[in-house]
Amino acid sequence: MSKLWGGRFTKETNKLVEEFTASIPFDQKLAKEDIAGSLAHVQMLGESGIIPEEDADKIRNGLLQIKDLVDQGEVEFLVEDEDIHMNIEKLLLQQIGPVGGKLHTGRSRNDQVATDMHLYLRTKTTELITLVEDVQNAIIGQAKVNIETLIPGYTHLQRAQPVSFAHHLMAYFWMFERDKERLIDSLKRINWLPLGAGALAGTTFPINRKRVAELLGFDTIYPNSMDAVSDRDFILEFLSIGSIIMTHISRLAEELVIWSSQEFQFVELDDSFCTGSSIMPQKKNPDVPELLRGKTGRTYGNLIGLLTVLKGLPLAYNKDLQEDKEGMFDTVETLEGSLKLLAPMIETMTVKKDVMRKAINNDYSNATDIADYLVTKGLPFREAHEVIGKIVLYAIQSGKFLLDLSFEEYQQFSPLFEDDIYNVLAPEHVVAVRNSFGGTSPVQVKQQIKLAEEKLLK
Ligand code: ARG
């Protein structure tokens, strides 16, 4: 059988052109969606009397048979049939004969392909929401058993103030919570139906777009046919949300790489999530978090790629738009793979509380608390800051930590010091008094985890 659009042509297509313009090597991923769209379209054609009901039935049966063949992996897609739409239409014609040719009535590949991608992203976005939640659950699991575990909190990667390890982990919960909100919100725009826009201007047939929307579960119909066939904002939005998710994953991955290094040793990743070196037998490499960090790059690339494809396109459909697919599939697959690994990696990692504790004991991250102490004794904060700066310098020069200085030494710097200063400096105390809403005190962290669990139940 020759090309479905072959009528106007006098020559065979150049083989290189065929290969260059074909999208079937990648858009075969849309087979299920393409058939679903066709099933709804043909049902509407039959119901509206645009084609006879019995023809619609034949087409429906043919499509269902093709669906089975596709599910069983028994279909051989052909480059000469260019894309998924024409491959399936060709199969239909082979299956049921010329009546199959009625399927494309009142429709174009332009509204068809857009519909396929809306359907695809709707399914994938819904699945990704669940995968994000799995990561959130893993975070909560570790947080719950580490509320009292203290870790240095950093700014500029310099020890700043001690924090609850649960608090540190939960910061990522909220990033993923916003990601989830973004994914959910994007469904509103994914749920716009392009089908029925025709090639660009609508169709002469009395189609019922509302019915198709109902059959395919869309709640909005594109009100402008030209916008419908050339809009890829919903994919841009997905790629952008995907990039933000990967940014969060990458930041957490970076922390896991740092924490599992010999220098930090705050956590140990489970053996089943690490790999070895082919030459250095002692090595246990954090390949998974490294790759999570590394794969973030391709998701940014996919976003920039599509933004660039779209920026100069005149209305309506242009073949450039075919370039929207591989990046989209790649980001979907990158997100799926990354989220699926991240959750169990967090669940199975060992938190080395004793090492974290040693780090806390051997630093000056309680300095702010002595400043606050002097403030409560009436000294203006700026002056207190200056005094404590001098104390820290003195302590460093004498090779001591703040808890090691004697009461006399404190008194030399300010007569306001009393012997309750030592209680103030204890790391537990330092953490417990940061009890403002959203702070790191155990009371606040417990409340935060409760709030997080409520979010997940919604
Ligand atoms: N394979 C095409 C794509 O992905 C389908 C639409 C083709 N439309 C056309 N007018 N050539 O964009």
Side-chain angles (χ1 to χ4, degrees):
M1 211 185 292
S2 62
K3 299 260 186 271
L4 290 176
W5 41 252
R8 186 229 179 276
F9 288 78
T10 52
K11 277 189 182 173
E12 293 277 293
T13 317
N14 179 306
K15 279 284 161 221
L16 286 174
V17 171
E18 229 170 51
E19 273 168 32
F20 190 70
T21 55
S23 53
I24 192 63
F26 47 88
D27 70 8
Q28 54 184 275
K29 287 204 171 79
L30 296 172
K32 234 171 71 192
E33 288 75 14
D34 198 70
I35 294 172
S38 290
L39 283 169
H41 181 68
V42 80
Q43 181 163 339
M44 179 278 291
L45 290 179
E47 286 171 6
S48 315
I50 298 171
I51 64 171
E53 280 281 13
E54 65 206 75
D55 290 351
D57 278 343
K58 281 185 201 143
I59 293 173
R60 187 177 310 123
N61 289 336
L63 285 169
L64 290 173
Q65 282 166 31
I66 295 169
K67 184 176 177 299
D68 282 346
L69 293 176
V70 171
D71 286 346
Q72 289 154 21
E74 275 171 29
V75 171
E76 200 202 334
F77 294 113
L78 302 176
V79 165
E80 65 199 54
D81 290 331
E82 195 175 322
D83 58 23
I84 187 64
H85 325 294
M86 290 198 292
N87 266 271
I88 288 184
E89 208 179 317
K90 269 275 189 74
L91 288 168
L92 183 68
L93 292 171
Q94 282 159 12
Q95 200 88 9
I96 64 171
V99 65
K102 295 193 177 184
L103 169 63
H104 213 51
T105 313
R107 179 179 85 166
S108 148
R109 274 188 296 158
N110 298 349
D111 53 348
Q112 187 180 356
V113 68
T115 303
D116 289 4
M117 286 186 299
H118 278 267
L119 288 170
Y120 172 83
L121 269 190
R122 184 168 70 191
T123 308
K124 289 300 176 185
T125 298
T126 312
E127 288 171 6
L128 284 168
I129 289 168
T130 309
L131 291 179
V132 170
E133 279 180 346
D134 292 346
V135 172
Q136 287 182 300
N137 271 313
I139 291 174
I140 289 187
Q142 275 292 3
K144 273 183 153 173
V145 294
N146 283 294
I147 295 172
E148 314 276 345
T149 309
L150 303 188
I151 186 174
Y154 296 83
T155 61
H156 312 268
L157 205 57
Q158 304 287 325
R159 304 252 180 102
Q161 290 168 355
V163 292
S164 146
F165 185 52
H167 193 53
H168 191 133
L169 285 177
M170 285 301 290
Y172 288 97
F173 175 94
W174 298 107
M175 295 179 218
F176 291 122
E177 183 60 22
R178 291 190 295 274
D179 291 334
K180 213 173 67 189
E181 278 182 15
R182 275 185 273 272
L183 286 171
I184 292 169
D185 194 66
S186 74
L187 284 171
K188 281 187 215 152
R189 288 163 293 280
I190 291 176
N191 265 326
W192 284 37
L193 173 74
L195 205 62
L200 75 163
T203 170
T204 54
F205 294 98
I207 57 168
N208 183 348
R209 294 187 74 194
K210 236 170 129 186
R211 179 69 180 134
V212 177
E214 198 177 281
L215 289 169
L216 291 174
F218 283 90
D219 34 52
T220 307
I221 299 168
Y222 277 89
N224 182 307
S225 60
M226 296 181 82
D227 181 37
V229 290
S230 54
D231 173 38
R232 297 296 183 267
D233 294 356
F234 66 105
I235 304 180
L236 280 181
E237 201 175 338
F238 171 74
L239 295 176
S240 142
I241 298 170
S243 296
I244 299 175
I245 296 176
M246 286 307 293
T247 305
H248 297 152
I249 292 179
S250 184
R251 293 183 75 173
L252 178 52
E254 167 66 4
E255 304 230 58
L256 293 174
V257 171
I258 293 179
W259 289 342
S260 59
S261 69
Q262 194 79 39
E263 285 67 23
F264 275 74
Q265 297 183 48
F266 286 174
V267 302
E268 184 170 351
L269 299 177
D270 195 71
D271 271 9
S272 57
F273 285 89
C274 293
T275 53
S277 155
S278 57
I279 170 162
M280 298 164 281
Q282 85 283 8
K283 294 207 71 186
K284 176 170 158 182
N285 294 330
D287 285 30
V288 175
E290 288 172 275
L291 266 179
L292 292 175
R293 197 176 54 187
K295 280 179 185 291
T296 304
R298 62 199 297 153
T299 62
Y300 297 177
N302 294 333
L303 171 62
I304 298 295
L306 185 60
L307 282 167
T308 314
V309 165
L310 292 174
K311 76 174 272 292
L313 284 190
L315 293 181
Y317 180 85
N318 301 273
K319 186 75 168 177
D320 315 43
L321 288 173
Q322 183 167 288
E323 286 293 307
D324 59 2
K325 288 175 198 61
E326 285 156 290
M328 174 181 75
F329 293 138
D330 184 72
T331 291
V332 164
E333 281 154 27
T334 303
L335 284 170
E336 285 174 346
S338 303
L339 291 164
K340 275 184 192 161
L341 271 174
L342 187 55
M345 196 168 61
I346 294 170
E347 273 159 15
T348 56
M349 73 185 184
T350 307
V351 178
K352 294 166 131 182
K353 302 184 184 191
D354 49 330
V355 181
M356 291 179 178
R357 181 61 203 209
K358 228 194 242 155
I360 298 275
N361 287 345
N362 295 336
D363 70 15
Y364 299 88
S365 62
N366 43 4
T368 316
D369 291 73
I370 335 182
D372 289 352
Y373 172 89
L374 289 184
V375 170
T376 59
K377 304 272 175 184
L379 205 63
F381 182 78
R382 276 293 150 230
E383 278 176 50
H385 188 284
E386 170 83 15
V387 173
I388 310 309
K390 293 213 166 85
I391 295 178
V392 171
L393 184 63
Y394 168 80
I396 293 172
Q397 282 168 349
S398 14
K400 293 178 178 178
F401 295 106
L402 295 174
L403 267 169
D404 305 333
L405 297 179
S406 71
F407 186 54
E408 288 68 35
E409 285 173 305
Y410 274 112
Q411 285 258 309
Q412 276 171 26
F413 288 95
S414 167
L416 291 173
F417 282 115
E418 292 173 51
D419 56 9
D420 57 351
I421 181 65
Y422 294 102
N423 304 336
V424 168
L425 289 179
E428 280 70 24
H429 185 265
V430 170
V431 170
V433 290
R434 282 175 169 71
N435 199 28
S436 50
F437 180 84
T440 192
S441 75
V443 174
Q444 291 300 328
V445 173
K446 278 181 201 150
Q447 225 169 41
Q448 186 191 153
I449 294 176
K450 201 170 142 239
L451 192 68
E453 286 182 314
E454 282 164 16
K455 288 264 178 207
L456 283 184
L457 287 178
K458 266 186 202 161

